[in-house]
Amino acid sequence: MAPLHGAASDRHADCVATLLAAGARPNATSKGKHTPLHFATFAGCAACVAALLATGARPTAASTFGGTPAHNAASAGHVAVLRQLLAADSA
């Protein structure tokens, strides 16, 4: 797992912001084509999601199995994060 994916998964918004400022790619994919945004939404980290979206993370990115960040947020019950994604997708 890449450092940005790990920071997003562990809800370390300050690390996510630092990594993005240092040039980490917000749409980098893991083996299963999960982006850092997939990890942040499953973890329910609204601050991570905001930082990723602000730097160009794609809210509609699909994993190998077709799962999107919105699927992750919804399945984990993170309503506020889901609203963030829907707002970003409609902008």
Side-chain angles (χ1 to χ4, degrees), residues 49 53 59-60 69-71 73 79-91:
V49 170
L53 290 173
T60 57
H71 290 123
V79 177
V81 169
L82 183 57
R83 286 189 180 126
Q84 279 180 286
L85 293 171
L86 294 174
D89 192 37
S90 66

Side-chain angles (χ1 to χ4, degrees), residues 1-65:
M1 179 183 315
L4 185 56
H5 289 75
S9 179
D10 291 340
R11 303 176 48 95
H12 294 300
D14 54 340
C15 292
V16 168
T18 298
L19 289 165
L20 289 167
R25 297 176 301 131
N27 292 304
T29 58
S30 67
K31 195 173 193 179
K33 292 195 176 184
H34 294 98
T35 66
L37 193 56
H38 282 94
F39 286 92
T41 54
F42 189 74
C45 183
C48 295
V49 170
L52 289 161
L53 290 173
T55 56
R58 293 186 316 268
T60 57
S63 70
T64 301
F65 299 106

